Amino acid sequence: MVASSLSTPRLHLKPGTAWSDAYTRCTQVAPEAFADDRLRNLWGGQWRRTGEPLRSVTPLDGSPITGPPMIEPEEAREAIRATLDDHKRWRDVPLADRKMRVSAALDAMDSHRDLLALLLVWEIGKPWRLARTDVDRAIDGVRWYVEEIDAMLAGRTPLPGPVSNIASWNYPMSVLMHAMLVQVLAGNAAIAKTPTDGGAACLTLACALARREGLPVALVSGSGSRLSGALVRAPEIGALAFVGGRSTGGQVAAALVDTGKRHFLEQEGLNAWGIWEFSQWDLLAAHLRKGFEYGKQRCTAYPRYVVQRQLFDQFLAAYLPVVSSVRFGHPLAVAHDDDPLPEIDFGPVITAEKSAELAGKVDEAIAKGGVPLYRGAIADGAFIPGQDTAAYVPPVTILAPPPSCALHHAEPFGPVDTIVVVDSEAELLAAMNASNGALVASLACDDEALARRLSSEIHAFKVGINKPRSRGDRAEPFGGRGASWKGAFVGGDHLVHAVTVGADPTERLYGNFPSYSLYPDA
């Protein structure tokens, strides 16, 4: 698909922001990790020219970018064994030294903040402001742990083996790199698989900066199904951290059943926002607008609104102006060379295939009886004339998606909203709990006592009242209910305790485990 050259004839790529510019800077900053034509894998302290580079394209315009070097299972097993050796050495390093080295790595990442962010723009399509926020949240979040880690580690020791990390592509720094650095700070070695759909170059640069400071991090690329035997079930692994979809997460959970390994598996859920006996529409409209950031490609996005029938007209009066004003397009397109990068709400979704998948789900919902309340057009976006726009999805809103279609019960992971109208509190709760568990939910309700009573019946880990909930940072715990999460909760003490061992051999971590249910105050 090609954008019309008549819509935005003056836009062009801002000078200095091309993929070739970013990659050249990477080869200058970390030549050990970036060859002229390919990325390298890291284990045992060595960057290795191994694996078959995946042919990758950027979602920005479909042009080629450097893809992850895909290794085979035997090399993954070798990487795990080398990471165990790192782990055995690192767990005896004094905490003061670990803090110093982690802080030095954070300083290095901070000095290359804009380069890390530019890689995120090209690899996963994040707008510039959000890409820099992803980098900043990783750096600032780990700095907080450096300050607070002493008390969290009191009476605790590292795991017997390293932590394996498998995460989705949408937050390479603030979720995946953040987790690895905290795991290292707690005395563990950490190995991660690069997300196949994007983020390999950003993570390669971050790991190069960390490894230069002596941190025991390893980074490998490969097919998740082919490497799972090593990265999930290897006896050397002390814990597994997973972020991804329910299908893959279910397979990972099944592989862990008989291993007894520590684990925290974050999976998607259909996060819902309920509107019941509510009147503060200006407040809600502000939250609705912010909710479109990054095209709702977030585990804590709200793609479902459950609305009391008597309030439906007032909800639409607040909602439709927001969705029709959402700004999307090429994140690096400017009209003049010295213009700042655009303040858009979102760029592309992660791949052209994902765009086609979302279009298919929308068509299915409408064909089965859903009502299209709003459908944006590619022409509404800001693009470089002639660029490929196959990965871009204008915002879409479907009223009453039928129960037989995917949009009724599953998270779309894109700028596609669904609205369900209800008449009773029981219907409200049933509609908000459609996906058998979620990470977050919110209620827009003027009566706080009523909202709190209803929220106790919502199957989500965090429930906001007249405000959204997020993953959170630092001390705030994060987890899920039902099928949205399996294993230990994370955040603050919970994250550190999940990757360390206490003096009590019968210690039970807070989390979502099959045998018991312990939920900290969310």
Side-chain angles (χ1 to χ4, degrees):
M1 186 185 303
V2 176
S4 168
S5 62
L6 299 178
S7 57
T8 53
R10 300 191 314 158
L11 294 183
H12 61 275
L13 193 68
K14 185 174 177 66
T17 66
W19 170 255
S20 58
D21 297 326
Y23 195 81
T24 296
R25 290 165 62 187
C26 289
T27 63
Q28 295 166 348
V29 172
E32 70 274 24
F34 293 83
D36 290 339
D37 59 340
R38 56 171 297 151
L39 307 175
R40 293 177 178 171
N41 288 289
L42 168 67
W43 67 82
Q46 297 182 33
W47 289 95
R48 304 163 191 265
R49 188 181 175 89
T50 186
E52 184 66 25
L54 188 68
R55 296 181 62 183
S56 298
V57 298
T58 174
L60 296 193
D61 58 14
S63 60
I65 59 174
T66 309
M70 311 288 275
I71 65 173
E72 295 300 318
E74 181 50 46
E75 287 184 299
R77 287 188 284 269
E78 178 185 336
I80 289 291
R81 291 190 291 267
T83 305
L84 176 62
D85 292 337
D86 279 346
H87 182 82
K88 291 176 179 177
R89 290 187 291 267
W90 181 253
R91 60 180 295 153
D92 294 327
V93 173
L95 177 58
D97 193 14
R98 300 201 302 263
K99 292 166 65 174
M100 179 184 68
R101 291 173 181 269
V102 169
S103 295
L106 294 172
D107 290 343
M109 292 177 199
D110 195 28
S111 69
H112 295 290
R113 169 204 189 208
D114 284 356
L115 177 54
L116 289 164
L118 183 57
L119 292 170
L120 291 180
V121 176
W122 278 104
E123 292 191 282
I124 62 175
K126 279 197 172 181
W128 177 243
R129 177 179 61 82
L130 298 180
R132 290 202 296 179
T133 298
D134 191 22
V135 177
D136 290 344
R137 283 184 63 186
I139 295 170
D140 296 342
V142 179
R143 288 197 195 281
W144 180 86
Y145 278 93
V146 171
E147 294 297 322
E148 303 293 333
I149 194 73
D150 295 76
M152 297 179 188
L153 285 177
R156 306 188 70 82
T157 58
L159 295 172
V163 183
S164 179
N165 294 267
I166 302 173
S168 57
W169 43 265
N170 53 341
Y171 286 92
M173 290 296 294
S174 64
V175 173
L176 181 52
M177 199 67 212
H178 177 281
M180 292 176 70
L181 291 175
V182 175
Q183 294 157 11
V184 165
L185 189 61
N188 304 285
I191 183 170
K193 188 185 89 65
T194 60
T196 302
D197 282 337
C202 178
L203 288 167
T204 297
L205 178 58
C207 285
L209 299 173
R211 194 74 213 197
R212 285 182 177 181
E213 302 303 332
L215 300 187
V217 295
L219 185 68
V220 298
S221 297
S223 162
S225 60
R226 289 181 59 78
L227 301 191
S228 63
L231 298 178
V232 175
R233 289 188 58 88
E236 296 91 343
I237 292 172
L240 174 70
F242 171 86
V243 180
R246 286 193 183 182
S247 176
T248 303
Q251 296 171 23
V252 170
L256 289 171
V257 165
D258 60 350
T259 66
K261 292 185 186 301
R262 294 280 183 93
H263 60 278
F264 26 109
L265 313 182
E266 177 186 331
Q267 301 162 117
E268 91 268 10
L270 184 59
N271 306 319
W273 199 309
I275 293 90
W276 190 263
E277 298 187 7
F278 180 72
S279 63
Q280 304 169 64
W281 300 108
D282 289 345
L283 173 65
L284 180 62
H287 293 317
L288 294 174
R289 177 57 182 264
K290 188 172 178 60
F292 275 98
E293 286 187 345
Y294 195 34
K296 301 204 172 190
Q297 296 177 103
R298 310 186 311 277
C299 66
T300 54
Y302 288 82
R304 167 64 52 81
Y305 295 95
V306 182
V307 185
Q308 186 177 12
R309 188 178 302 276
Q310 292 182 345
L311 300 179
F312 185 55
D313 58 336
Q314 298 174 67
F315 172 77
L316 285 185
Y319 176 85
L320 289 175
V322 169
V323 70
S324 62
S325 67
V326 165
R327 299 163 298 178
F328 66 96
H330 195 302
L332 301 176
V334 295
H336 306 95
D337 288 357
D338 57 353
D339 284 350
L341 290 170
E343 280 288 335
I344 57 176
D345 296 298
F346 60 89
V349 295
I350 188 59
T351 63
E353 290 76 17
K354 178 63 179 180
S355 173
E357 174 195 316
L358 288 171
K361 289 180 177 179
V362 169
D363 290 344
E364 177 199 28
I366 294 172
K368 291 183 175 181
V371 179
L373 280 181
Y374 182 85
R375 278 192 281 190
I378 283 291
D380 299 332
F383 299 109
I384 295 171
Q387 76 159 85
D388 187 323
T389 60
Y392 290 82
V393 178
V396 179
T397 308
I398 304 295
L399 173 66
S404 59
C405 72
L407 287 180
H408 179 80
H409 54 78
E411 179 184 23
F413 224 65
V416 177
D417 282 346
T418 56
I419 300 174
V420 175
V421 177
V422 295
D423 294 297
S424 67
E425 292 180 6
E427 288 180 300
L428 174 81
L429 295 172
M432 293 187 71
N433 291 332
S435 68
N436 183 28
L439 302 172
V440 297
S442 287
L443 274 172
C445 181
D446 293 341
D447 185 338
E448 185 170 333
L450 172 60
R452 294 197 178 279
R453 176 174 63 80
L454 292 172
S455 68
S456 67
E457 301 297 323
I458 295 173
H459 208 42
F461 178 65
K462 294 181 179 181
V463 180
I465 296 175
N466 297 326
K467 64 179 182 181
R469 297 305 304 269
S470 67
R471 197 175 202 278
D473 287 311
R474 305 178 181 179
E476 185 178 0
F478 187 62
R481 302 230 181 198
S484 67
W485 193 282
K486 295 183 186 298
F489 290 157
V490 297
D493 287 340
H494 303 303
L495 175 54
V496 172
H497 290 180
V499 295
T500 55
V501 178
D504 182 0
T506 64
E507 173 188 47
R508 303 208 303 184
L509 300 173
Y510 278 116
N512 187 359
F513 296 102
S515 58
Y516 64 100
S517 179
L518 292 175
Y519 292 97
D521 181 11

